[in-house]
Coordinates of all heavy atoms in Angstrom, one line a residue:
M1387 N -58.4 -0.1 -20.6 CA -57.2 -0.6 -20.1 C -56.6 0.4 -19.1 O -56.6 1.6 -19.4 CB -56.2 -0.7 -21.4 CG -54.9 -1.1 -20.8 SD -53.7 -1.2 -22.3 CE -54.2 -2.9 -22.8
T1388 N -56.2 0.0 -17.9 CA -55.7 0.8 -17.0 C -54.2 0.6 -16.7 O -53.8 -0.4 -17.1 CB -56.4 0.5 -15.6 OG1 -56.1 -0.8 -15.2 CG2 -57.9 0.8 -15.7
A1389 N -53.6 1.6 -16.3 CA -52.2 1.5 -16.0 C -51.9 1.0 -14.8 O -52.3 1.4 -13.6 CB -51.6 3.1 -16.1
D1390 N -51.1 -0.1 -14.7 CA -50.7 -0.8 -13.5 C -49.2 -0.4 -13.2 O -48.4 -0.6 -14.1 CB -50.8 -2.3 -13.6 CG -52.2 -2.8 -13.3 OD1 -52.9 -1.9 -12.6 OD2 -52.6 -4.0 -13.6
L1391 N -48.8 -0.1 -12.0 CA -47.6 0.1 -11.7 C -47.3 -0.6 -10.4 O -47.9 -0.3 -9.3 CB -47.3 1.6 -11.4 CG -45.8 2.0 -11.4 CD1 -45.0 1.5 -12.5 CD2 -45.7 3.5 -11.0
M1392 N -46.4 -1.6 -10.4 CA -46.1 -2.4 -9.3 C -47.4 -3.1 -8.7 O -47.7 -3.2 -7.4 CB -45.6 -1.7 -8.1 CG -44.0 -1.3 -8.5 SD -43.1 -0.5 -7.1 CE -44.0 1.0 -7.0
G1393 N -48.4 -3.5 -9.5 CA -49.6 -4.2 -9.1 C -50.6 -3.2 -8.5 O -51.6 -3.6 -8.2
I1394 N -50.5 -1.9 -8.7 CA -51.4 -0.9 -8.2 C -52.0 -0.1 -9.4 O -51.3 0.3 -10.3 CB -50.8 0.1 -7.3 CG1 -50.1 -0.6 -6.0 CG2 -51.7 1.2 -6.7 CD1 -49.2 0.3 -5.2
D1395 N -53.4 -0.1 -9.3 CA -54.0 0.6 -10.5 C -54.0 2.1 -10.1 O -54.7 2.6 -9.2 CB -55.5 0.2 -10.6 CG -56.2 0.7 -11.8 OD1 -55.4 1.3 -12.6 OD2 -57.4 0.6 -11.8
I1396 N -53.1 2.9 -10.9 CA -53.1 4.4 -10.5 C -54.3 5.1 -10.9 O -54.5 6.2 -10.2 CB -51.8 4.8 -11.4 CG1 -50.5 4.1 -10.9 CG2 -51.6 6.4 -11.3 CD1 -49.3 4.5 -11.6
A1397 N -55.0 4.8 -12.0 CA -56.3 5.6 -12.4 C -57.2 5.7 -11.2 O -57.9 6.6 -11.1 CB -56.7 5.1 -13.6
Q1398 N -57.3 4.5 -10.4 CA -58.4 4.6 -9.4 C -57.9 5.4 -8.2 O -58.8 6.0 -7.5 CB -58.7 3.2 -8.9 CG -59.5 2.4 -10.0 CD -59.9 1.0 -9.5 OE1 -59.5 0.7 -8.4 NE2 -60.8 0.4 -10.3
G1399 N -56.6 5.4 -7.9 CA -56.2 6.1 -6.7 C -56.0 7.6 -6.9 O -56.1 8.4 -6.0
G1400 N -55.8 8.0 -8.2 CA -55.6 9.5 -8.4 C -54.4 10.0 -7.9 O -53.2 9.6 -7.9
A1401 N -54.6 11.3 -7.3 CA -53.5 12.0 -6.7 C -52.8 11.3 -5.6 O -51.6 11.3 -5.3 CB -53.9 13.4 -6.3
V1402 N -53.7 10.6 -4.7 CA -53.1 9.9 -3.5 C -52.2 8.9 -3.9 O -51.2 8.7 -3.3 CB -54.3 9.4 -2.7 CG1 -53.8 8.4 -1.6 CG2 -55.2 10.5 -2.2
A1403 N -52.6 8.1 -5.0 CA -51.6 7.0 -5.5 C -50.4 7.5 -6.0 O -49.3 7.0 -5.8 CB -52.3 6.3 -6.6
I1404 N -50.4 8.7 -6.7 CA -49.1 9.3 -7.3 C -48.3 9.8 -6.1 O -47.2 9.6 -6.1 CB -49.6 10.5 -8.1 CG1 -50.1 9.8 -9.5 CG2 -48.3 11.2 -8.7 CD1 -50.7 10.8 -10.6
L1405 N -48.9 10.5 -5.1 CA -48.1 10.9 -4.0 C -47.5 9.8 -3.2 O -46.4 9.9 -2.8 CB -49.1 11.9 -3.0 CG -48.3 12.4 -1.9 CD1 -47.3 13.4 -2.3 CD2 -49.4 13.0 -1.0
T1406 N -48.2 8.8 -2.9 CA -47.7 7.6 -2.3 C -46.6 7.0 -3.1 O -45.5 6.6 -2.6 CB -48.8 6.5 -2.2 OG1 -49.9 7.1 -1.5 CG2 -48.3 5.3 -1.3
L1407 N -46.7 7.0 -4.4 CA -45.7 6.4 -5.3 C -44.4 7.3 -5.1 O -43.3 6.7 -5.0 CB -46.2 6.3 -6.8 CG -45.1 5.7 -7.7 CD1 -44.9 4.3 -7.4 CD2 -45.7 5.9 -9.2
V1408 N -44.7 8.6 -5.2 CA -43.4 9.4 -5.1 C -42.7 9.3 -3.8 O -41.5 9.2 -3.7 CB -43.8 10.9 -5.5 CG1 -42.7 11.9 -4.9 CG2 -44.3 11.1 -6.8
V1409 N -43.6 9.3 -2.7 CA -43.0 9.1 -1.3 C -42.2 7.7 -1.2 O -41.2 7.7 -0.6 CB -44.1 9.2 -0.2 CG1 -43.5 8.8 1.1 CG2 -44.6 10.6 -0.2
L1410 N -42.8 6.6 -1.7 CA -42.0 5.4 -1.8 C -40.8 5.4 -2.6 O -39.7 4.9 -2.1 CB -43.0 4.3 -2.2 CG -44.1 3.8 -1.5 CD1 -45.0 2.9 -2.0 CD2 -43.5 3.1 -0.2
M1411 N -40.8 6.1 -3.7 CA -39.6 6.2 -4.5 C -38.5 7.1 -3.8 O -37.4 6.6 -3.8 CB -39.9 6.8 -5.8 CG -40.7 5.8 -6.6 SD -41.1 6.6 -8.3 CE -39.5 6.6 -9.1
V1412 N -38.9 8.0 -3.1 CA -37.9 8.8 -2.3 C -37.3 8.0 -1.1 O -36.1 8.0 -0.9 CB -38.6 10.1 -1.8 CG1 -37.7 10.9 -0.7 CG2 -38.9 11.1 -3.0
L1413 N -38.2 7.3 -0.5 CA -37.9 6.4 0.7 C -36.8 5.3 0.3 O -36.0 5.0 1.1 CB -39.0 6.0 1.4 CG -39.8 6.9 2.3 CD1 -40.9 6.4 2.9 CD2 -39.0 7.7 3.3
T1414 N -37.1 4.7 -0.8 CA -36.2 3.7 -1.3 C -35.0 4.1 -2.1 O -34.1 3.4 -2.4 CB -37.0 2.7 -2.2 OG1 -37.4 3.4 -3.4 CG2 -38.1 2.0 -1.5
G1415 N -34.8 5.4 -2.3 CA -33.7 6.1 -3.0 C -33.7 5.9 -4.4 O -32.7 6.2 -5.1
R1416 N -34.8 5.6 -5.0 CA -34.9 5.6 -6.5 C -35.2 7.1 -7.0 O -35.0 7.3 -8.2 CB -36.1 4.8 -6.9 CG -35.7 3.3 -6.6 CD -36.9 2.4 -7.0 NE -36.5 1.0 -6.6 CZ -37.3 0.0 -6.9 NH1 -38.5 0.2 -7.3 NH2 -37.0 -1.1 -6.4
L1417 N -35.7 8.0 -6.1 CA -35.9 9.4 -6.6 C -35.2 10.2 -5.7 O -35.4 10.3 -4.4 CB -37.3 9.6 -6.6 CG -37.9 11.1 -7.1 CD1 -37.5 11.2 -8.6 CD2 -39.4 11.0 -6.9
V1418 N -34.1 11.0 -6.1 CA -33.4 11.9 -5.3 C -33.5 13.3 -5.8 O -33.7 13.5 -7.0 CB -31.9 11.5 -5.2 CG1 -31.8 10.1 -4.5 CG2 -31.3 11.5 -6.6
P1419 N -33.4 14.2 -5.0 CA -33.4 15.7 -5.5 C -32.1 16.0 -6.4 O -31.1 15.4 -6.2 CB -33.3 16.5 -4.2 CG -33.6 15.5 -3.0 CD -33.3 14.2 -3.5
R1420 N -32.3 16.9 -7.3 CA -31.2 17.3 -8.1 C -30.0 17.7 -7.4 O -28.9 17.5 -7.8 CB -31.8 18.3 -9.1 CG -30.6 18.6 -10.1 CD -31.3 18.9 -11.5 NE -30.3 19.2 -12.5 CZ -29.9 18.5 -13.3 NH1 -30.2 17.1 -13.3 NH2 -29.0 18.8 -14.3
R1421 N -30.2 18.5 -6.4 CA -29.2 19.0 -5.6 C -28.2 17.9 -5.1 O -27.1 18.0 -5.1 CB -29.6 20.0 -4.5 CG -28.6 20.7 -3.8 CD -29.2 21.6 -2.9 NE -28.1 22.6 -2.4 CZ -28.3 23.7 -1.7 NH1 -29.6 24.1 -1.5 NH2 -27.4 24.4 -1.3
T1422 N -28.9 16.9 -4.5 CA -28.3 15.7 -4.0 C -27.5 15.0 -5.0 O -26.2 14.6 -4.9 CB -29.2 14.9 -3.2 OG1 -29.9 15.5 -2.3 CG2 -28.5 13.7 -2.6
Y1423 N -28.1 14.8 -6.2 CA -27.5 14.2 -7.2 C -26.2 15.0 -7.8 O -25.1 14.4 -8.0 CB -28.4 14.0 -8.4 CG -27.9 13.4 -9.6 CD1 -27.7 12.0 -9.7 CD2 -27.6 14.1 -10.8 CE1 -27.2 11.4 -10.9 CE2 -27.1 13.5 -11.9 CZ -26.8 12.2 -12.0 OH -26.3 11.6 -13.0
D1424 N -26.3 16.3 -7.9 CA -25.2 17.1 -8.3 C -24.1 17.1 -7.3 O -22.9 17.0 -7.6 CB -25.6 18.6 -8.6 CG -26.5 18.8 -9.6 OD1 -26.5 17.9 -10.6 OD2 -27.2 19.8 -9.9
D1425 N -24.4 17.0 -6.0 CA -23.3 16.9 -4.9 C -22.7 15.6 -5.1 O -21.5 15.5 -4.9 CB -24.0 17.1 -3.5 CG -24.3 18.4 -3.2 OD1 -24.0 19.4 -3.9 OD2 -25.2 18.7 -2.2
L1426 N -23.4 14.5 -5.4 CA -22.8 13.3 -5.5 C -21.9 13.2 -6.7 O -20.8 12.5 -6.7 CB -23.8 12.1 -5.5 CG -24.5 11.8 -4.4 CD1 -25.7 10.8 -4.6 CD2 -23.6 11.2 -3.3
L1427 N -22.2 13.8 -7.8 CA -21.4 13.9 -8.9 C -20.2 14.5 -8.7 O -19.1 14.2 -9.2 CB -22.1 14.5 -10.2 CG -23.2 13.7 -10.9 CD1 -23.9 14.4 -12.0 CD2 -22.6 12.4 -11.4
K1428 N -20.2 15.7 -8.0 CA -19.0 16.6 -7.7 C -18.1 15.7 -6.8 O -16.9 15.7 -7.1 CB -19.5 17.8 -7.0 CG -18.2 18.8 -6.7 CD -18.7 20.0 -5.9 CE -19.6 20.9 -6.5 NZ -19.9 22.0 -5.7
E1429 N -18.6 15.0 -5.9 CA -17.8 14.2 -5.0 C -17.1 13.0 -5.7 O -16.0 12.8 -5.5 CB -18.7 13.6 -3.8 CG -17.9 12.9 -2.7 CD -18.8 12.4 -1.6 OE1 -19.9 12.8 -1.5 OE2 -18.3 11.6 -0.8
R1430 N -18.0 12.5 -6.6 CA -17.3 11.4 -7.5 C -16.2 11.9 -8.4 O -15.1 11.3 -8.4 CB -18.3 10.9 -8.4 CG -17.8 9.7 -9.3 CD -18.6 9.6 -10.4 NE -18.6 10.7 -11.3 CZ -19.3 10.8 -12.4 NH1 -20.1 9.8 -12.8 NH2 -19.2 11.9 -13.2
D1431 N -16.3 13.1 -8.9 CA -15.2 13.7 -9.7 C -14.0 14.1 -8.8 O -12.8 13.8 -9.2 CB -15.8 14.9 -10.5 CG -16.8 14.5 -11.6 OD1 -16.8 13.3 -11.9 OD2 -17.6 15.4 -11.9
T1432 N -14.3 14.5 -7.6 CA -13.3 14.9 -6.8 C -12.4 13.7 -6.5 O -11.1 13.6 -6.4 CB -13.6 15.5 -5.5 OG1 -14.4 16.6 -5.8 CG2 -12.6 15.9 -4.4
W1433 N -13.1 12.5 -6.1 CA -12.4 11.3 -5.8 C -11.6 10.7 -6.9 O -10.6 10.2 -6.8 CB -13.4 10.3 -5.2 CG -13.6 10.5 -3.7 CD1 -14.8 10.9 -3.2 CD2 -12.8 10.3 -2.5 NE1 -14.7 11.1 -1.8 CE2 -13.4 10.7 -1.5 CE3 -11.5 9.9 -2.5 CZ2 -12.8 10.7 -0.2 CZ3 -10.9 9.8 -1.3 CH2 -11.6 10.2 -0.1
R1434 N -12.2 10.8 -8.0 CA -11.5 10.3 -9.3 C -10.3 11.1 -9.6 O -9.3 10.6 -9.9 CB -12.5 10.4 -10.5 CG -11.9 9.9 -11.7 CD -12.9 9.8 -12.9 NE -14.0 8.9 -12.6 CZ -15.1 8.9 -13.2 NH1 -15.4 9.8 -13.9 NH2 -15.9 7.9 -13.0
E1435 N -10.3 12.4 -9.4 CA -9.2 13.2 -9.6 C -8.1 12.8 -8.6 O -6.8 12.8 -8.9 CB -9.4 14.7 -9.5 CG -8.3 15.7 -9.7 CD -8.7 17.1 -9.6 OE1 -10.0 17.3 -9.9 OE2 -7.9 18.0 -9.4
A1436 N -8.4 12.7 -7.4 CA -7.5 12.2 -6.2 C -6.9 10.9 -6.7 O -5.7 10.7 -6.4 CB -8.2 12.4 -5.0
H1437 N -7.7 10.1 -7.0 CA -7.2 8.7 -7.4 C -6.1 8.8 -8.6 O -5.1 8.1 -8.6 CB -8.3 7.8 -7.8 CG -7.8 6.4 -8.3 ND1 -7.2 5.6 -7.5 CD2 -7.9 5.9 -9.6 CE1 -6.9 4.4 -8.2 NE2 -7.2 4.7 -9.4
T1438 N -6.5 9.6 -9.6 CA -5.5 9.8 -10.7 C -4.3 10.4 -10.3 O -3.2 9.9 -10.7 CB -6.2 10.7 -11.7 OG1 -7.4 10.1 -12.2 CG2 -5.3 10.9 -12.9
M1439 N -4.3 11.4 -9.4 CA -3.0 12.0 -8.9 C -2.2 11.0 -8.1 O -1.0 10.9 -8.1 CB -3.3 13.2 -8.0 CG -3.8 14.4 -8.9 SD -4.3 15.8 -7.9 CE -3.2 16.0 -6.7
S1440 N -3.0 10.2 -7.1 CA -2.3 9.2 -6.3 C -1.7 8.2 -7.3 O -0.4 7.6 -7.0 CB -3.4 8.6 -5.5 OG -2.8 7.5 -4.9
E1441 N -2.2 7.7 -8.4 CA -1.7 6.7 -9.2 C -0.5 7.2 -9.9 O 0.5 6.5 -10.2 CB -2.6 6.2 -10.2 CG -3.7 5.2 -9.6 CD -3.0 4.0 -8.9 OE1 -2.3 3.4 -9.5 OE2 -3.4 3.7 -7.7
A1442 N -0.5 8.5 -10.4 CA 0.6 9.1 -11.0 C 1.9 9.1 -10.1 O 3.0 8.8 -10.4 CB 0.3 10.5 -11.5
A1443 N 1.5 9.5 -8.8 CA 2.7 9.6 -7.8 C 3.3 8.2 -7.5 O 4.4 8.0 -7.4 CB 2.1 10.3 -6.4
R1444 N 2.3 7.2 -7.4 CA 2.7 5.8 -7.3 C 3.6 5.3 -8.3 O 4.6 4.6 -8.2 CB 1.5 4.9 -7.1 CG 1.8 3.6 -6.5 CD 0.6 2.8 -6.1 NE -0.2 3.8 -5.2 CZ -1.4 3.4 -4.8 NH1 -1.9 2.4 -5.0 NH2 -2.1 4.3 -4.0
T1445 N 3.3 5.7 -9.6 CA 4.1 5.2 -10.8 C 5.5 5.9 -10.7 O 6.5 5.2 -10.9 CB 3.3 5.5 -12.1 OG1 2.1 5.0 -12.1 CG2 4.1 5.1 -13.2
S1446 N 5.5 7.2 -10.3 CA 6.8 7.9 -10.2 C 7.6 7.1 -9.1 O 8.9 6.9 -9.2 CB 6.5 9.2 -9.9 OG 7.8 9.9 -9.7
E1447 N 7.0 6.8 -8.0 CA 7.8 6.2 -6.9 C 8.3 4.9 -7.3 O 9.4 4.5 -7.0 CB 6.8 6.2 -5.7 CG 7.5 5.5 -4.4 CD 6.6 5.3 -3.3 OE1 5.3 5.8 -3.4 OE2 6.8 4.8 -2.4
R1448 N 7.4 4.1 -8.0 CA 7.8 2.8 -8.5 C 9.0 2.9 -9.5 O 10.1 2.1 -9.4 CB 6.7 2.1 -9.2 CG 6.9 0.6 -9.4 CD 5.6 0.0 -10.1 NE 4.8 1.0 -10.3 CZ 3.4 0.9 -10.3 NH1 2.9 -0.2 -9.8 NH2 2.7 2.0 -10.7
D1449 N 9.1 3.7 -10.3 CA 10.2 4.0 -11.2 C 11.5 4.5 -10.5 O 12.6 4.0 -10.7 CB 9.8 5.1 -12.3 CG 8.8 4.7 -13.3 OD1 8.6 3.5 -13.3 OD2 8.1 5.5 -13.9
Q1450 N 11.3 5.3 -9.5 CA 12.4 5.8 -8.6 C 13.0 4.5 -8.0 O 14.3 4.3 -7.8 CB 12.0 6.8 -7.7 CG 11.9 8.2 -8.4 CD 11.4 9.3 -7.5 OE1 11.1 9.0 -6.2 NE2 11.2 10.4 -8.0
N1451 N 12.1 3.8 -7.4 CA 12.6 2.5 -6.6 C 13.3 1.5 -7.5 O 14.4 0.9 -7.1 CB 11.4 1.9 -5.9 CG 11.0 2.6 -4.6 OD1 11.8 3.4 -4.1 ND2 9.8 2.3 -4.2
R1452 N 12.8 1.4 -8.7 CA 13.5 0.4 -9.7 C 14.9 1.0 -9.9 O 15.8 0.2 -9.9 CB 12.6 0.4 -10.9 CG 13.1 -0.7 -11.9 CD 12.1 -0.7 -13.1 NE 10.8 -1.3 -12.6 CZ 9.7 -0.7 -12.9 NH1 9.6 0.4 -13.7 NH2 8.5 -1.1 -12.5
E1453 N 14.9 2.3 -10.2 CA 16.3 2.8 -10.5 C 17.3 2.7 -9.2 O 18.4 2.4 -9.4 CB 16.2 4.3 -10.9 CG 17.4 4.9 -11.3 CD 17.3 6.4 -11.7 OE1 16.1 6.8 -12.1 OE2 18.3 7.1 -11.7
L1454 N 16.7 2.9 -8.0 CA 17.7 2.8 -6.8 C 18.0 1.5 -6.6 O 19.1 1.2 -6.2 CB 16.8 3.4 -5.5 CG 16.8 4.9 -5.6 CD1 15.7 5.3 -4.5 CD2 18.0 5.6 -5.5
L1455 N 17.1 0.5 -6.9 CA 17.5 -0.9 -6.7 C 18.7 -1.3 -7.7 O 19.6 -2.0 -7.4 CB 16.3 -1.9 -6.9 CG 15.5 -2.0 -5.7 CD1 14.1 -2.7 -6.1 CD2 16.0 -2.6 -4.5
E1456 N 18.6 -0.8 -8.8 CA 19.6 -1.1 -9.9 C 20.9 -0.6 -9.5 O 22.0 -1.1 -9.6 CB 19.2 -0.6 -11.3 CG 20.2 -1.0 -12.5 CD 20.2 -2.5 -12.5 OE1 19.2 -3.3 -12.3 OE2 21.4 -2.9 -12.8
L1457 N 20.8 0.6 -9.0 CA 22.1 1.3 -8.5 C 22.7 0.6 -7.2 O 23.8 0.5 -7.2 CB 21.9 2.7 -8.1 CG 21.7 3.8 -9.3 CD1 21.3 5.1 -8.8 CD2 22.8 3.8 -10.1
S1458 N 21.8 0.1 -6.5 CA 22.2 -0.7 -5.2 C 22.9 -2.0 -5.7 O 23.8 -2.4 -5.1 CB 21.1 -0.9 -4.3 OG 21.4 -1.8 -3.3
R1459 N 22.3 -2.6 -6.6 CA 22.9 -3.9 -7.2 C 24.3 -3.7 -7.7 O 25.3 -4.4 -7.5 CB 22.0 -4.5 -8.1 CG 20.8 -5.2 -7.7 CD 20.0 -5.9 -8.7 NE 18.6 -6.2 -8.2 CZ 17.6 -5.7 -8.7 NH1 17.6 -4.8 -9.7 NH2 16.4 -5.9 -8.1
T1460 N 24.3 -2.6 -8.5 CA 25.7 -2.2 -9.1 C 26.7 -1.8 -8.1 O 27.8 -2.4 -8.1 CB 25.4 -1.0 -10.0 OG1 24.4 -1.2 -11.0 CG2 26.8 -0.7 -10.7
S1461 N 26.2 -1.1 -7.1 CA 27.2 -0.8 -6.0 C 27.7 -2.0 -5.2 O 28.8 -2.2 -4.8 CB 26.6 0.2 -5.0 OG 26.3 1.4 -5.6
A1462 N 26.8 -2.9 -4.9 CA 27.0 -4.1 -4.1 C 28.0 -5.1 -5.0 O 29.0 -5.6 -4.4 CB 25.8 -4.8 -3.9
H1463 N 27.9 -5.1 -6.2 CA 28.6 -5.9 -7.2 C 30.0 -5.3 -7.1 O 31.0 -6.1 -7.1 CB 28.1 -6.0 -8.5 CG 28.8 -6.8 -9.5 ND1 29.0 -8.2 -9.4 CD2 29.5 -6.5 -10.6 CE1 29.7 -8.7 -10.3 NE2 30.0 -7.7 -11.0
A1464 N 30.1 -4.0 -7.2 CA 31.5 -3.4 -7.3 C 32.3 -3.5 -6.0 O 33.4 -3.8 -6.0 CB 31.3 -1.8 -7.6
L1465 N 31.5 -3.4 -4.8 CA 32.2 -3.7 -3.6 C 32.6 -5.1 -3.3 O 33.6 -5.4 -2.7 CB 31.3 -3.2 -2.5 CG 31.0 -1.7 -2.3 CD1 29.9 -1.5 -1.2 CD2 32.4 -1.0 -1.9
Q1466 N 31.9 -6.0 -3.9 CA 32.4 -7.3 -3.8 C 33.5 -7.8 -4.6 O 34.2 -8.7 -4.3 CB 31.1 -8.3 -4.0 CG 30.0 -8.2 -3.0 CD 28.8 -9.1 -3.4 OE1 28.7 -9.5 -4.5 NE2 27.8 -9.3 -2.4
A1467 N 33.7 -6.9 -5.8 CA 34.8 -7.2 -6.5 C 36.2 -6.8 -6.0 O 37.2 -7.2 -6.4 CB 34.5 -6.4 -7.9
F1468 N 36.1 -5.9 -4.9 CA 37.5 -5.4 -4.4 C 38.1 -6.5 -3.6 O 37.4 -7.4 -3.0 CB 37.2 -4.3 -3.4 CG 36.9 -3.0 -4.1 CD1 35.8 -2.2 -3.6 CD2 37.7 -2.5 -5.1 CE1 35.6 -0.9 -4.3 CE2 37.4 -1.3 -5.8 CZ 36.3 -0.4 -5.2
P1469 N 39.4 -6.6 -3.6 CA 40.0 -7.7 -2.8 C 39.8 -7.4 -1.3 O 39.8 -6.3 -0.9 CB 41.5 -7.5 -3.2 CG 41.6 -6.1 -3.9 CD 40.4 -5.8 -4.3
R1470 N 39.7 -8.4 -0.6 CA 39.5 -8.3 0.9 C 40.8 -8.1 1.5 O 41.5 -9.1 1.6 CB 38.7 -9.4 1.4 CG 37.3 -9.5 0.7 CD 36.5 -10.6 1.4 NE 35.1 -10.5 0.6 CZ 34.1 -10.6 1.1 NH1 34.0 -10.9 2.5 NH2 32.9 -10.7 0.4
M1471 N 41.0 -7.0 2.2 CA 42.1 -6.7 2.9 C 42.1 -7.2 4.4 O 41.0 -7.0 5.0 CB 42.6 -5.3 2.8 CG 42.7 -4.8 1.5 SD 44.2 -5.4 0.6 CE 45.3 -4.4 1.3
G1472 N 43.0 -7.7 5.1 CA 42.9 -8.0 6.5 C 42.3 -9.3 6.8 O 42.1 -9.5 7.9
L1473 N 42.0 -10.1 5.8 CA 41.5 -11.4 6.1 C 42.5 -12.5 5.9 O 43.4 -12.5 4.9 CB 40.2 -11.7 5.1 CG 39.0 -10.7 5.3 CD1 38.0 -11.1 4.3 CD2 38.5 -10.8 6.7
E1474 N 42.5 -13.5 6.6 CA 43.4 -14.5 6.5 C 43.0 -15.3 5.3 O 41.9 -15.3 4.8 CB 43.4 -15.5 7.7 CG 43.7 -14.7 8.9 CD 44.7 -15.3 9.8 OE1 45.2 -16.4 9.4 OE2 45.0 -14.8 10.8
D1475 N 43.8 -16.2 4.7 CA 43.4 -16.9 3.5 C 42.2 -17.8 3.8 O 41.5 -17.9 2.8 CB 44.6 -17.7 3.0 CG 45.8 -16.9 2.5 OD1 45.3 -15.8 2.1 OD2 46.8 -17.2 2.4
E1476 N 42.2 -18.5 4.8 CA 41.1 -19.6 5.1 C 40.1 -19.2 6.0 O 39.0 -19.7 6.0 CB 41.7 -20.8 5.5 CG 42.7 -21.5 4.6 CD 43.4 -22.8 5.1 OE1 42.9 -23.2 6.1 OE2 44.3 -23.2 4.5
K1477 N 40.2 -18.1 6.8 CA 39.4 -17.8 7.9 C 39.0 -16.3 7.7 O 39.8 -15.4 7.4 CB 39.9 -17.9 9.3 CG 40.3 -19.4 9.7 CD 40.7 -19.3 11.1 CE 41.2 -20.6 11.7 NZ 41.7 -20.5 13.0
E1478 N 37.7 -16.0 8.0 CA 37.4 -14.6 8.1 C 37.4 -14.0 9.5 O 37.2 -15.0 10.5 CB 35.9 -14.5 7.7 CG 35.6 -14.6 6.2 CD 34.2 -14.3 5.8 OE1 33.5 -13.6 6.6 OE2 33.7 -14.7 4.7
V1479 N 37.8 -12.9 9.7 CA 37.9 -12.5 11.1 C 36.5 -12.1 11.7 O 35.7 -11.5 10.9 CB 38.7 -11.0 11.0 CG1 38.9 -10.4 12.4 CG2 40.1 -11.4 10.5
D1480 N 36.2 -12.6 12.8 CA 35.0 -12.4 13.4 C 34.8 -10.9 14.0 O 35.9 -10.3 14.6 CB 34.7 -13.3 14.6 CG 33.3 -13.4 15.0 OD1 32.4 -12.9 14.3 OD2 33.0 -14.1 16.0
A1481 N 33.7 -10.2 13.9 CA 33.5 -8.9 14.1 C 33.3 -8.7 15.6 O 33.2 -7.6 16.2 CB 32.5 -8.2 13.3
R1482 N 33.2 -9.9 16.4 CA 32.8 -9.6 17.8 C 33.9 -9.0 18.7 O 34.8 -8.9 18.9 CB 32.4 -10.9 18.4 CG 31.2 -11.5 17.9 CD 30.8 -12.7 18.5 NE 30.1 -13.6 17.6 CZ 29.9 -14.8 18.0 NH1 30.1 -15.4 19.1 NH2 29.3 -15.6 17.0

């Protein structure tokens, strides 16, 4: 029984088959150096941390906007409750 890998009999090819297999794996991206892999992990962690900080800032901003909108509604309601001075009973004065 011989070992087949991707339809190729490795036992007959020997070192040349193994070298060819390794080169193909490197070229297709299935086999990467450890240093490259570690760099990718570090970059992934950096982006994850940046995303977490960004989401925290966005949540804080959303809460502040919600509070400001509520204060704005309260202020608008209070201003509309004041009696309007300088307006005639039936007509509004045009600002032009």
